[in-house]
Amino acid sequence: MPEGPSIVILKELIEKFEGKKIREAFGNAKIDISRLAGQKIIAFRSWGKQFFICFKDFSIRIHFLLFGSYSLDEQIKPDRSLRLALIFSKGSIYFYTCSVKIPEDDLDTMLDWKADVMSDDWDPARARKKLKAMPDTLVCDALLDQQIFSGVGNIIKNEVLFRIRVHPETRVGDLPPRKLGDMIREARQYSFDFLEWKKNYVLKKNWLAHTKKTCVRCSIPLIKKYCGKTARRTSFCTNCQVKY
DNA sequence: TGCCATGTTAAACT
DNA sequence: GAGTTTAACATGGC
């Protein structure tokens, strides 16, 4: 569920509730749920893996972490921890096992919208600038940095590095400028491919490296290693992916 | 059945 | 205090 493209899918599915008034709200989220009833939803916004329900004077931030889920217009699913339910005169939204918060700060001051790889405001030059400032960081960690590539998760990381044929333990500063450009471009491009595949339920089928045992290019076994400071699972080919 | 995973935060350390 | 490591959270798929 949690990578950026999945949140974009949620945003599209939920759009019909924009401008609608909440009739009833409940759940075990640790926020003041009583203030929600009667509120009109001004907009839904997404920033990377974060999803925002915006009202006139405040907003709710939903983060699905690893196990979060949601359902629309359904009965509440049993045996799942219901964090927040929003009931409308026509339809409903249920959020399960996710983080629910009401941020103190204004979203536009809190978030760099140009860092969201799925956004129309995505700014690759800005990403490059941020990367230039951290030459010692490994590329596998850099791709997961939400301040640079908001929305990129572990799947996208693995697939991008395989696509651009770069070893995950390459230092950012050691990447040739062209490869750095490739990484920034593919972080966005793969996210959109992810979006289309996910919509068509063929995401897994299109994985080239993530969870794979052998290289689709040269057939040798892929390395599975928990790379970098983030120590997330990384699959890569020591033959096809160059360490600069 | 047990292990592991599309993630982040906060506490506990050095 | 900084930077780090560890624990916690919680569900479903293989």
Side-chain angles (χ1 to χ4, degrees):
Chain A
M1 165 74 231
E3 298 198 30
S6 301
I7 305 303
V8 171
I9 290 172
L10 166 62
K11 201 169 123 190
E12 291 175 3
L13 287 174
I14 219 173
E15 231 166 23
K16 59 177 180 174
F17 292 113
E18 259 177 3
K20 297 287 189 288
K21 191 184 276 186
I22 295 171
R23 173 173 279 187
E24 191 190 348
F26 53 91
N28 62 9
K30 290 183 183 62
I31 59 166
D32 181 8
I33 288 179
S34 67
R35 69 192 285 194
L36 301 181
Q39 290 282 344
K40 192 166 94 175
I41 292 174
I42 306 290
F44 294 109
R45 302 180 79 175
S46 63
W47 185 81
K49 302 164 189 171
Q50 304 185 26
F51 184 69
F52 296 93
I53 305 167
C54 304
F55 306 100
K56 183 168 166 287
D57 300 315
F58 66 101
S59 59
I60 298 174
R61 191 199 75 163
I62 308 271
H63 197 304
F64 291 96
L65 291 97
L66 216 49
F67 311 126
S69 61
Y70 60 86
S71 62
L72 303 177
D73 305 331
E74 290 177 356
Q75 293 287 315
I76 298 173
K77 301 207 169 154
D79 306 324
R80 278 202 287 174
S81 179
L82 179 68
R83 292 277 182 271
L84 182 64
L86 302 178
I87 313 299
F88 302 87
S89 57
K90 202 174 175 186
S92 53
I93 313 171
Y94 299 106
F95 294 104
Y96 308 92
T97 51
C98 51
S99 159
V100 180
K101 280 183 179 166
I102 295 180
E104 298 291 329
D105 299 320
D106 175 68
L107 298 191
D108 290 320
T109 49
M110 190 168 72
L111 305 171
D112 175 8
W113 297 97
K114 293 178 193 294
D116 182 351
V117 295
M118 303 296 291
S119 169
D120 292 340
D121 295 328
W122 164 247
D123 184 350
R126 197 175 171 89
R128 181 182 287 264
K129 203 172 165 186
K130 289 173 185 168
L131 290 165
K132 287 277 187 189
M134 43 193 286
D136 293 331
T137 302
L138 301 184
V139 293
C140 59
D141 289 331
L143 277 167
L144 291 174
D145 188 329
Q146 300 300 294
Q147 299 308 315
I148 305 174
F149 299 106
S150 177
V152 169
N154 207 35
I155 297 173
I156 298 174
K157 175 197 80 179
N158 281 323
E159 294 296 311
V160 165
L161 291 173
F162 186 81
R163 272 191 177 183
I164 66 174
R165 302 180 186 238
V166 168
H167 191 291
E169 292 172 319
T170 302
R171 290 164 67 252
V172 168
D174 293 336
L175 270 182
R178 198 171 54 79
K179 282 291 174 189
L180 189 66
D182 288 350
M183 182 168 90
I184 294 165
R185 191 183 58 251
E186 283 299 335
R188 178 171 167 88
Q189 181 57 52
Y190 187 84
S191 295
F192 280 95
D193 290 344
F194 183 125
L195 176 66
E196 285 311 308
W197 290 331
K198 175 110 184 167
K199 279 180 178 174
N200 294 306
Y201 308 101
V202 292
L203 178 63
K204 279 185 192 178
K205 208 176 76 180
N206 283 286
W207 286 343
L208 300 179
H210 187 71
T211 71
K212 293 289 177 184
K213 295 270 191 291
T214 50
C215 178
V216 295
R217 293 198 189 104
C218 68
S219 302
I220 71 167
L222 292 179
I223 303 294
K224 174 185 162 184
K225 185 178 175 184
Y226 293 81
C227 294
K229 288 186 178 174
T230 47
R232 301 294 304 281
R233 191 177 68 176
T234 312
S235 305
F236 59 97
C237 177
T238 51
N239 183 42
C240 298
Q241 293 173 252
V242 181
K243 189 167 183 177
Y244 293 94

